[in-house]
Amino acid sequence: MNYSRIRQGTFRERPNRFIAYVDIAGKQETVHVKNTGRCAELLLPGAAVYVQEADNPLRKTRWDMIAVEKGSRIVNIDSQVPNKLVKEWLEEGNLFENITRIQPEYTYGKSRFDLYVEAEGKKIFIEVKGVTLEENGVVRFPDAPSERAVKHVEELKSAVGEGYEAYVFFVVQMRGVKYFTPNMDTHPAFGEALLSAAKSGVHVLAYDCEVEKASIHIAKPVKVVLEERSELSVPHQIAEPIVSWFREHKRELPWRKNPDAYRVWVSEIMLQQTRVEAVKPYYERFLKELPTVKDLAKAKEDKLLKLWEGLGYYNRVRNMQKAAQQIVIDYQGNFPDTYEEILSLKGIGSYTAGAISAFAYGIPKAAVDGNVLRVVSRLTGSREDIMKQSVRKKIEEALERIIPPNAPGDFNQGLIELGAIVCVPNGEPKCGECPVAGFCEARKQGSIAMLPVRSKGKARKIEERTVFVFRDGKQLAIQKRPSRGLLAGLYEFPSELGRMSFEEALAYSKKIGLMPVRVKELGEAKHIFSHIEWHMTGYEILVDELEKTNKKGFLFIRPEEIEKEYPIPSAYGYYTDIVLRK
């Protein structure tokens, strides 16, 4: 659609919904505003506007406001044009084939729909809505409450039940937007009605427009995002600030350099339940020794466990090797590049699959870890238990609706970083540094310290153990743990269940065929696993000729070999340090 008699002016003021004062050619004119919405973010003093001179010289207001500049965009605000645009667009053969009838303003029930169409035996109602409200590339409707809009949507739903085809067609009166979503802040009833109608078979479409100062034409489809109002509805406005904040404040971490899928994978598995600073040297060492998936797939178990020594949760690195072997067999050693294929690998769950997909491949999937669960719970004020898998799934789905398609990696990492250094779990979060503090429901409600809600797990089992450091002057004894169960396949100092006294330790040594020369108490240590706690008592026992008299089949090594070859878990760290200091 083209306009004639267009002039440029400068917006000054809008005293009411119907008129505005605009400077045109150095003179202030009263201009009719062809849009009864608020348009508050568009009609700012000093904004460049485009007005059309009326063809009736006797009309009280000589000018109609057609469009306004907003940044690099021109936004058409003529509320009379969307219906005409859609009608012309349909007549050009779009959406339906073989249209035999198009009738504007068609009455059905208690509503008058914008268009009635007949095509290929179908009877179709179309309700057209012009959209001018845009924030950070997201467009929304309405910009003011509209009971009439709710009524029309509900009538369309009824029409579908009676055999009609029905559409709500949102004409986005600008170009270059990310997606359309109903304005749940201004009028949630409309958003709920639209979602209900969509579930009942009403088609919801949005198209943007090519807009110039004297023309507007329908251009391309725009993604439509409809969501149920819930405790875990994440505001779409947080996306842009989080991406910008992350790009400015992100920490320099080794795995953020050259983030290919393998490097991201290694870092994410290592970072599970381990501090960032602690992971750095492990990450560098692991990649130096096993730089590719193929290297990981063929690594010897002892080498693999030695590289992982101190990180704990050794099944994770075993599963990594199994996944690497899958990749070698099924993908010829090339890391898969779809979320579904990544998720199918051994030991990879939704978080790790989401992280690899977003960070390495730019796929818009959510990576929801403990930091993200905390941030989202506080942002939304949710009291749902984050330990429930169903809640994690809800948060993943809510975030995937708002992930910026051009920055999924930075958005996900921004949320994680926010939880790591700003929205911290203990003590006072740094709300003054948070880029989305204005959207935070927990902050508004004063409930930050109470969120997130996390149900308590089962109490850990306490297990008493006695640890023996058997030495003969040059060598010491270690043994390999069983291939299954806790710390499977790792090496350890000989140990027995129960807390032995000095005398009992001495008697045990003799029982297994060792002849004690001197016994020294090494003190107590504790190690906490996820489900069990070891409370340990240690003894150093100097014996005569370890290898000849031992009945247990221990392995005898020099102390310095521990550091080079034999992976001894951090559970024994207290005793390992004593051995290595000697």
Side-chain angles (χ1 to χ4, degrees):
M1 176 179 172
N2 298 313
Y3 295 93
S4 59
R5 305 182 305 282
I6 294 294
R7 298 282 297 276
Q8 184 172 343
T10 303
F11 176 79
R12 293 302 175 204
E13 184 185 355
R14 187 182 185 183
N16 60 49
R17 290 192 305 160
F18 305 104
I19 64 169
Y21 299 137
V22 176
D23 289 345
I24 304 172
K27 180 182 177 182
Q28 181 170 293
E29 300 277 3
T30 299
V31 174
H32 173 233
V33 180
K34 298 183 76 173
N35 191 311
T36 57
R38 291 172 179 162
C39 300
E41 81 292 346
L42 292 171
L43 298 178
L44 302 173
V49 297
Y50 298 94
V51 296
Q52 182 181 41
E53 187 173 13
D55 55 7
N56 179 1
L58 301 178
R59 208 180 78 171
K60 187 175 180 180
T61 51
R62 179 184 170 190
W63 306 94
D64 292 310
M65 190 179 295
I66 299 300
V68 57
E69 288 185 5
K70 183 185 180 187
S72 60
R73 289 189 182 93
I74 297 177
V75 182
N76 183 292
I77 62 168
D78 183 354
S79 61
Q80 296 175 14
V81 80
N83 289 8
K84 297 175 185 176
L85 282 176
V86 175
K87 183 174 181 293
E88 290 176 3
W89 187 73
L90 293 174
E91 288 170 342
E92 291 168 1
N94 293 295
L95 200 59
F96 309 115
E97 294 182 355
N98 303 319
I99 294 175
T100 56
R101 180 184 178 188
I102 301 180
Q103 180 179 333
E105 298 294 322
Y106 191 93
T107 300
Y108 170 84
K110 297 180 180 179
S111 293
R112 179 173 287 186
F113 295 129
D114 294 317
L115 295 170
Y116 170 71
V117 178
E118 291 181 0
E120 297 183 322
K122 299 176 183 176
K123 296 181 177 181
I124 306 157
F125 291 127
I126 304 176
E127 184 65 12
V128 180
K129 304 294 181 189
V131 182
T132 61
L133 176 61
E134 177 270 336
E135 296 172 284
N136 297 317
V138 178
V139 286
R140 297 189 289 166
F141 178 92
D143 77 340
S146 174
E147 297 301 331
R148 179 173 173 272
V150 174
K151 186 184 78 168
H152 283 173
V153 169
E154 290 174 344
E155 289 274 20
L156 286 176
K157 184 177 170 181
S158 299
V160 168
E162 294 184 10
Y164 290 89
E165 199 165 298
Y167 290 77
V168 182
F169 195 120
F170 291 97
V171 177
V172 180
Q173 293 170 248
M174 67 195 85
R175 277 305 302 272
V177 301
K178 295 174 183 174
Y179 63 89
F180 165 83
T181 191
N183 193 345
M184 300 299 285
D185 298 329
T186 297
H187 199 189
F190 174 76
E192 290 160 4
L194 191 64
L195 177 62
S196 175
K199 288 180 177 179
S200 300
V202 175
H203 303 280
V204 181
L205 305 178
Y207 278 74
D208 66 8
C209 293
E210 196 69 60
V211 180
E212 302 292 341
K213 61 183 180 181
S215 66
I216 179 171
H217 299 92
I218 290 177
K220 295 182 178 180
V222 170
K223 180 181 178 182
V224 174
V225 176
L226 305 177
E227 57 183 305
E228 301 206 36
R229 194 75 163 177
S230 76
E231 248 191 22
L232 285 169
S233 293
V234 183
H236 64 84
Q237 298 98 321
I238 71 168
E240 206 71 39
I242 284 175
V243 169
S244 299
W245 174 84
F246 175 73
R247 288 173 177 172
E248 185 177 349
H249 295 90
K250 65 182 178 182
R251 291 169 291 175
E252 292 298 322
L253 301 174
W255 41 87
R256 287 179 177 162
K257 300 170 185 174
N258 306 316
D260 64 36
Y262 179 64
R263 292 167 65 88
V264 171
W265 178 39
V266 171
S267 68
E268 289 301 333
I269 300 298
M270 286 186 172
L271 285 164
Q272 291 175 23
Q273 296 176 292
T274 308
R275 293 180 302 105
V276 165
E277 289 304 315
V279 164
K280 286 180 180 178
Y282 287 99
Y283 175 78
E284 300 282 10
R285 185 178 66 176
F286 194 94
L287 284 183
K288 183 179 179 181
E289 294 292 325
L290 305 173
T292 69
V293 170
K294 291 179 181 178
D295 293 318
L296 172 56
K298 65 185 181 183
K300 300 291 185 183
E301 183 182 60
D302 279 359
K303 179 178 181 178
L304 195 64
L305 296 177
K306 188 65 182 173
L307 288 170
W308 205 262
E309 182 184 34
L311 284 170
Y313 302 96
Y314 291 88
N315 273 341
R316 290 176 182 168
V317 74
R318 285 195 174 90
N319 285 336
M320 282 182 70
Q321 185 170 56
K322 290 174 184 175
Q325 291 162 352
Q326 273 183 268
I327 294 169
V328 169
I329 294 169
D330 297 339
Y331 302 97
Q332 295 73 53
N334 299 311
F335 210 101
D337 58 4
T338 71
Y339 174 81
E340 291 73 22
E341 288 173 321
I342 296 168
L343 187 62
S344 73
L345 297 175
K346 181 73 174 178
I348 291 185
S350 61
Y351 165 74
T352 306
I356 297 169
S357 297
F359 305 169
Y361 296 122
I363 299 169
K365 297 297 291 185
V368 178
D369 70 350
N371 285 315
V372 175
L373 289 170
R374 180 171 60 261
V375 170
V376 172
S377 292
R378 288 175 175 173
L379 271 173
T380 60
S382 171
R383 304 301 177 107
E384 294 200 56
D385 181 0
I386 63 168
M387 300 303 288
K388 292 181 178 178
Q389 188 58 35
S390 60
V391 173
R392 179 184 288 266
K393 186 66 178 172
K394 284 182 192 177
I395 290 176
E396 286 175 354
E397 291 171 352
L399 290 174
E400 282 173 15
R401 294 188 190 106
I402 68 167
I403 292 175
N406 61 338
D410 286 351
F411 174 73
N412 276 292
Q413 290 186 88
L415 277 173
I416 294 167
E417 193 86 333
L418 201 61
I421 65 176
V422 174
C423 195
V424 291
N426 301 310
E428 287 294 321
K430 304 167 188 174
C431 296
E433 300 176 23
C434 179
V436 290
F439 300 99
C440 184
E441 289 298 320
R443 189 171 180 234
K444 294 174 188 174
Q445 298 164 9
S447 59
I448 292 172
M450 294 178 274
L451 297 176
V453 172
R454 183 194 298 267
S455 59
K456 292 183 179 179
K458 294 180 180 178
R460 282 190 291 268
K461 176 186 175 184
I462 305 297
E463 189 173 280
E464 301 280 357
R465 301 188 73 84
T466 302
V467 177
F468 298 93
V469 177
F470 291 117
R471 313 175 67 118
D472 67 359
K474 295 180 181 179
Q475 295 182 306
L476 58 86
I478 61 172
Q479 63 185 12
K480 192 165 188 175
R481 290 182 63 84
S483 60
R484 294 181 177 274
L486 184 65
L487 304 177
L490 295 167
Y491 293 86
E492 66 177 355
F493 301 114
S495 64
E496 290 291 326
L497 283 175
R499 181 184 291 267
M500 294 187 189
S501 66
F502 185 95
E503 291 76 14
E504 288 170 330
L506 194 63
Y508 174 76
S509 302
K510 294 176 181 178
K511 179 181 176 182
I512 63 171
L514 296 173
M515 298 304 295
V517 175
R518 186 175 68 245
V519 181
K520 177 184 175 183
E521 293 183 5
L522 294 181
E524 298 182 351
K526 181 169 75 171
H527 188 80
I528 299 173
F529 299 95
S530 58
H531 60 291
I532 193 170
E533 283 186 29
W534 280 1
H535 291 190
M536 294 171 281
T537 299
Y539 295 95
E540 181 183 61
I541 302 180
L542 185 65
V543 302
D544 182 34
E545 295 183 296
L546 275 172
E547 296 192 48
K548 290 183 180 179
T549 56
N550 165 50
K551 295 179 181 178
K552 280 281 190 174
F554 296 144
L555 180 66
F556 303 104
I557 65 169
R558 295 186 304 277
E560 58 268 24
E561 292 180 83
I562 291 176
E563 292 184 297
K564 296 177 182 177
E565 296 181 41
Y566 297 98
I568 294 182
S570 58
Y572 295 101
Y574 174 78
Y575 303 108
T576 304
D577 288 345
I578 291 173
V579 166
L580 296 178
R581 283 201 301 267
K582 287 194 176 287

